[in-house]
């Protein structure tokens, strides 16, 4: 084994001290850029500071310093050290983490995809599909929260795949996740340009693509703190809009709209609760799973969080995101809009003009609000585009730190930005310029999305397996769960069930790809829906060929459960837990319920 060298300060840090560091601090093993005599602060003037900020961050200690006997480190040891000592800047405050957890990836998957799902399977099918998906996501996030709270490492769950399962799994999942969000930026830019057509269809879409692209570029180049501030504003708008829509939906259903017409459960009886039978429900399972994509992104922020003390709370906020934003919206839409509404048939991945939210308000006879909803959709598009650059750049940076991508793609400047990774992602966003050519747009986006079409499901499945391997390693190495700042409320059984549900999603996608709705079996639809499976398998095989390593997993006794962990004073931690438990026990019943879920 290797022996990481620690500074005196690092060895003396307690969990409290580590998690209350300022936003300007870097990882405790990495010198702060501000301490360099050549840092931006040593110059006068904004221009010099900006230019200097793009220079390389202070180099990390050489890997040779971590080998106690001077031997060559193994690949997994290098991965653990590099990702634990990232040079990314810790600039995300608690308020950023909570908002990112609540609403960062709420976008066209909910605002538009829900309409396509309603038309495909009917209202009952939507409730069932999103219900099963919500269970899977909640269970998966519990295990992820346990690992992220203990290991705030670069790449988050991507690194956990390499660390707790095998580097080949980290390679396959990492590149597939990169591709998923790499394609998402141009897709969202196109969706934003189409949203504008609701108000003005005469102006060339490329004009608005350019405007939105420049906006995303500026935000992402300002640094992680400004990404957090932008997401805080974007998410706040989305949250207020969805809560407002739910309240409005209740009023309309009860007959409080301009026409005072009681709707009740009318559309659940006619045209009915289901459409297209089993095929419709299976198709909606896939749509629902994809709509939750990006929920796991909160773990990517752990390595850039100024304080990870509230990370478990942010992870648990996913419960409210599922219950209020998704289920609340689904029930309102399913009750206010019949699945036979022809306007829903225009729903595609980028056609936001067919949003069921807009249709519901139009059906309610309320004027003016459709424009507000479309404005919210536009903000959501910018939010998801912004988040996609963050996810892609941090994924590519983590892959570079793990030796799975060209070293130059992991370049981090003195402002703590993965500069080249950000630029690569933003440049590909210009692919959205094909927005004015509908034929090329549909064909190109369909196949690009197909390459990583199963990415979310594979990512969640890998998180479940990584958590199970982590717990197994803790057990085999006689380590106590009392060492962990947060323990998954659902335990290992939550990860077992989550893994089972995700495997079921893969089966549902296979079924829908083989037997598409309203079509006979054909090769085009099958590969469009299931191309992601052979891609990820080939990635796994390719890594093993490259490394000449055909082992499938790391043995539990060999898993490193120390490198990258937060420094915790176990006695202090246990005292805090005991005090918190006593406070909760003395609280009213409703407070205990709230604390359990939040």
């Amino acid at each position: 084994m290797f022996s990481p060298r620690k500074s005196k300060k690092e060895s003396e840090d307690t969990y409290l001290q580590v998690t209350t560091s300022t936003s300007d601090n870097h990882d405790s093993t990495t010198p702060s850029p501000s301490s360099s005599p050549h840092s931006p602060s040593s110059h006068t003037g904004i221009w010099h500071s900006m230019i200097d900020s793009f220079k390389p961050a202070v180099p990390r200690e050489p890997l040779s310093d971590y080998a106690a006997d001077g031997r060559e480190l193994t690949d997994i040891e290098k991965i653990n050290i590099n990702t634990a000592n990232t040079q990314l800047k810790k600039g995300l405050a608690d308020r950023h983490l909570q908002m990112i957890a609540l609403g960062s990836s709420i976008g066209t998957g909910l605002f538009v995809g829900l309409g396509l799902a309603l038309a495909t399977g009917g209202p009952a099918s939507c409730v069932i599909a999103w219900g099963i998906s919500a269970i899977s996501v909640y269970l998966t996030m519990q295990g992820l929260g346990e690992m992220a709270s203990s290991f705030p490492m670069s790449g988050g769950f991507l690194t956990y795949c390499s660390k707790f399962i095998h580097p080949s799994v980290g390679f396959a999942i990492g590149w597939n996740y990169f591709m998923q969000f790499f394609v998402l930026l141009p897709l969202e830019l196109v969706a934003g340009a189409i949203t504008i057509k609701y108000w003005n269809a005469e102006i060339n879409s490329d004009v608005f693509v350019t405007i939105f692209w420049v906006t995303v570029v500026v935000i992402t180049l300002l640094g992680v703190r400004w990404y957090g501030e932008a997401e805080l504003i974007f998410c706040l708008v989305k949250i207020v809009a969805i809560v407002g829509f739910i309240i409005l939906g209740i009023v309309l259903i009860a007959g409080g709209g301009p026409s005072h017409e009681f709707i009740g459960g009318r559309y659940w009886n006619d045209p009915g609760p289901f459409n297209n039978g089993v095929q419709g429900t299976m198709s909606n399972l896939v749509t629902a799973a994809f709509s939750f994509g990006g929920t796991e992104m909160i773990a990517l922020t752990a390595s850039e969080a100024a304080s990870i003390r509230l990370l478990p709370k942010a992870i648990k906020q996913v419960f409210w995101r599922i219950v209020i934003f998704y289920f609340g919206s689904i029930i309102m839409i399913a009750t206010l809009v019949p699945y036979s509404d022809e306007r829903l048939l225009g729903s595609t991945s980028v056609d936001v003009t067919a949003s069921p939210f807009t249709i519901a308000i139009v059906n309610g006879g309320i004027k003016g609000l459709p424009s507000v909803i479309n404005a919210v959709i536009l903000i959501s598009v910018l939010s998801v585009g912004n988040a996609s650059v963050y996810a892609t750049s941090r994924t590519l940076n983590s892959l570079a730190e793990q030796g799975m991508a060209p070293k130059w793609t992991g370049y981090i400047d003195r402002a703590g930005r993965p500069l080249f990774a950000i630029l690569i992602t933003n440049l590909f966003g210009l692919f959205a310029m094909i927005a004015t050519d509908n034929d090329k747009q549909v064909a190109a986006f369909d196949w690009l999305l197909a390459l990583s079409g199963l990415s979310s499901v594979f990512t969640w499945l890998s998180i479940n397996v990584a958590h199970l391997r982590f717990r197994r390693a803790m057990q085999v190495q006689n380590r106590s769960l009392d060492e962990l700042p947060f323990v998954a409320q659902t335990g290992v059984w939550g990860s077992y069930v989550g893994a089972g549900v995700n495997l079921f999603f893969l089966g549902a996608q296979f079924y829908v790809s083989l037997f598409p709705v309203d079509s006979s079996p054909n090769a085009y639809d099958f590969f469009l829906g299931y191309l992601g499976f052979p891609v990820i398998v080939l990635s796994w095989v390719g890594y093993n060929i490259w490394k000449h390593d055909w082992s499938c997993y790391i043995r539990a006794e060999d898993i490193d459960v120390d490198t990258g962990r937060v420094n915790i004073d176990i006695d202090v931690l246990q005292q805090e837990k005991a005090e918190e438990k006593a406070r909760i026990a003395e609280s009213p019943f409703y407070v205990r319920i709230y604390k359990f879920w939040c």
Side-chain angles (χ1 to χ4, degrees):
M1 280 298 291
F2 62 93
S3 176
R5 188 171 66 187
K6 296 182 179 180
S7 65
K8 180 179 179 181
K9 177 184 181 300
E10 184 184 8
S11 63
E12 293 175 350
D13 273 336
T14 64
Y15 176 67
L16 283 172
Q17 292 169 325
V18 170
T19 57
T20 54
S21 59
T22 64
S23 61
D24 292 328
N25 289 339
H26 288 243
D27 190 276
S28 58
T29 58
T30 306
S32 171
S34 63
S35 64
S36 168
H38 302 290
S39 64
S41 61
S42 64
H43 292 286
T44 56
I46 297 177
W47 177 252
H48 283 296
S49 296
M50 183 179 69
I51 296 300
D52 280 358
S53 71
F54 291 105
K55 294 179 180 179
V58 176
R60 293 178 290 199
E61 296 178 356
L63 289 174
S64 58
D65 288 0
Y66 290 87
D69 52 5
R71 65 176 176 81
E72 180 70 20
L73 297 175
T74 65
D75 286 340
I76 186 61
E77 288 173 342
K78 292 176 182 178
I79 289 171
N80 286 332
I81 295 170
N82 284 336
T83 54
N85 294 282
T86 182
Q87 296 166 303
L88 296 172
K89 187 174 184 179
K90 296 184 178 297
L92 291 175
D94 294 339
R95 64 182 185 279
H96 300 146
L97 293 180
Q98 297 216 21
M99 278 299 174
I100 290 172
L102 280 172
S104 64
S105 62
I106 295 177
T108 53
L110 177 64
F111 287 116
V112 183
L114 180 55
L116 181 60
L118 181 61
T120 301
S125 173
C126 289
V127 172
I128 293 171
W130 262 267
I132 294 175
S133 299
I135 292 171
S136 171
V137 170
Y138 179 74
L139 295 175
T140 300
M141 291 298 293
Q142 282 286 309
L144 180 59
E146 180 176 295
M147 294 185 290
S149 299
S150 295
F151 299 91
M153 305 171 75
S154 170
F157 51 86
L158 307 175
T159 302
Y160 307 149
C161 291
S162 300
K163 184 179 180 68
F164 300 131
I165 308 176
H166 195 270
S168 59
V169 179
F171 178 87
I173 295 297
W175 277 108
N176 210 244
Y177 194 78
F178 168 83
M179 193 64 191
Q180 174 190 357
F181 282 94
F182 193 57
V183 176
L184 190 58
L185 175 60
L187 181 68
E188 294 296 323
L189 292 176
V190 170
I194 294 178
T195 304
I196 295 295
K197 289 184 177 181
Y198 181 83
W199 297 286
N200 190 325
E202 302 299 324
I203 303 177
N204 191 310
S205 295
D206 286 346
V207 173
F208 294 104
V209 166
T210 303
I211 293 172
F212 300 147
W213 180 79
V214 170
T215 301
V216 171
V217 169
V218 171
I219 292 174
T220 53
L221 284 179
L222 284 175
V224 68
R225 176 174 173 269
W226 289 103
Y227 159 73
E229 296 293 355
E231 280 303 290
L232 189 151
I233 296 172
F234 290 152
C235 292
L236 188 60
V237 172
K238 288 187 285 186
I239 290 169
V240 170
I242 292 177
V243 172
F245 174 79
I246 292 172
I247 295 172
L248 174 62
I250 294 173
V251 172
L252 292 176
I253 292 170
S259 63
H260 300 290
E261 182 182 9
F262 178 77
I263 296 175
R266 175 190 307 170
Y267 299 132
W268 286 70
N269 294 318
D270 183 20
F274 292 99
N275 189 28
N276 293 314
V278 175
Q279 284 179 307
T281 302
M282 287 293 186
S283 179
N284 279 356
L285 277 171
V286 175
T287 303
F290 292 162
S291 76
F292 282 110
T295 307
E296 70 290 328
M297 195 184 300
I298 183 65
L300 285 178
T301 67
S303 62
E304 296 179 83
S307 167
I308 64 167
R309 188 167 187 76
L310 291 184
L311 186 61
K313 184 178 178 65
I315 291 284
K316 291 164 72 174
Q317 295 285 358
V318 171
F319 171 79
W320 293 111
R321 174 176 172 175
I322 291 171
V323 172
I324 298 177
F325 305 144
Y326 282 92
F327 269 101
S329 300
I330 290 166
I331 292 172
M332 293 303 106
I333 293 296
T335 307
L336 290 170
V337 182
Y339 73 72
S340 58
D341 193 309
E342 294 183 356
R343 289 168 292 183
L344 293 174
L345 299 178
S347 296
T348 66
S349 58
V350 293
D351 187 6
V352 296
T353 58
S355 169
F357 287 78
T358 302
I359 294 172
I361 293 175
V362 170
N363 289 350
I366 300 177
K367 298 180 179 179
L369 275 184
S371 291
V372 174
I373 290 295
N374 278 278
V376 172
I377 294 175
L378 181 60
I379 290 173
S380 299
V381 163
L382 290 174
S383 173
V384 176
N386 188 35
S388 70
V389 177
Y390 179 85
T392 306
S393 59
R394 271 56 181 185
T395 299
L396 185 56
N397 172 72
S398 177
L399 288 169
E401 289 182 333
Q402 296 182 59
M404 300 173 181
K407 187 176 181 180
W408 62 270
T409 60
Y411 176 92
I412 297 179
D413 62 22
R414 292 182 180 176
R417 297 168 295 204
L419 189 60
F420 289 162
I422 292 174
L423 292 176
I424 291 170
T425 308
N426 280 322
L427 286 175
F428 185 73
L430 293 174
F431 187 74
M433 289 298 183
I434 65 172
T436 54
D437 191 327
N438 292 327
D439 293 334
K440 290 182 180 179
Q441 169 189 312
V442 173
F445 277 128
D446 281 350
W447 286 106
L448 283 172
L449 288 170
L451 290 174
S452 58
L454 297 172
S455 179
S456 291
V457 179
F458 275 117
T459 297
W460 298 337
L461 179 60
S462 70
I463 291 171
N464 297 139
V465 176
H467 182 236
L468 292 172
R469 295 300 299 161
F470 168 60
R471 281 293 193 93
R472 177 61 179 165
M474 292 286 285
Q475 181 183 18
V476 169
Q477 297 177 29
N478 296 316
R479 304 292 290 270
S480 172
L481 297 182
D482 290 338
E483 301 176 21
L484 307 180
F486 171 71
V487 177
Q489 296 166 298
T490 53
V492 294
W493 287 108
S495 291
Y496 276 120
V497 174
V501 176
N502 283 311
L503 287 173
F504 176 68
F505 285 153
L506 292 177
Q509 176 67 6
F510 181 84
Y511 177 83
V512 172
S513 300
L514 192 60
F515 302 103
V517 177
D518 296 331
S519 178
S520 57
N522 62 89
Y524 180 89
D525 285 330
F526 177 78
F527 283 105
L528 196 64
Y530 224 69
L531 182 61
F533 184 83
V535 167
I536 204 163
V537 171
L538 288 174
S539 299
W540 178 79
V541 172
Y543 181 88
N544 287 317
I545 293 175
W546 173 32
K547 292 294 183 179
H548 305 289
D549 178 11
W550 292 97
S551 58
C552 296
Y553 62 92
I554 305 172
R555 295 186 305 173
E557 56 266 29
D558 295 330
I559 292 176
D560 182 358
V561 294
D562 290 308
T563 304
R565 285 182 64 174
V566 291
N567 293 311
I568 300 175
D569 186 319
I570 298 178
D571 292 334
V572 173
L573 177 63
Q574 290 307 308
Q575 182 181 351
E576 289 181 342
K577 285 184 175 181
E579 292 174 354
E580 178 68 12
K581 187 175 181 179
R583 283 196 299 268
I584 293 175
E586 296 174 357
S587 302
F589 176 74
Y590 61 87
V591 174
R592 295 200 299 271
I593 295 290
Y594 174 81
K595 288 293 183 180
F596 178 81
W597 291 109
C598 306

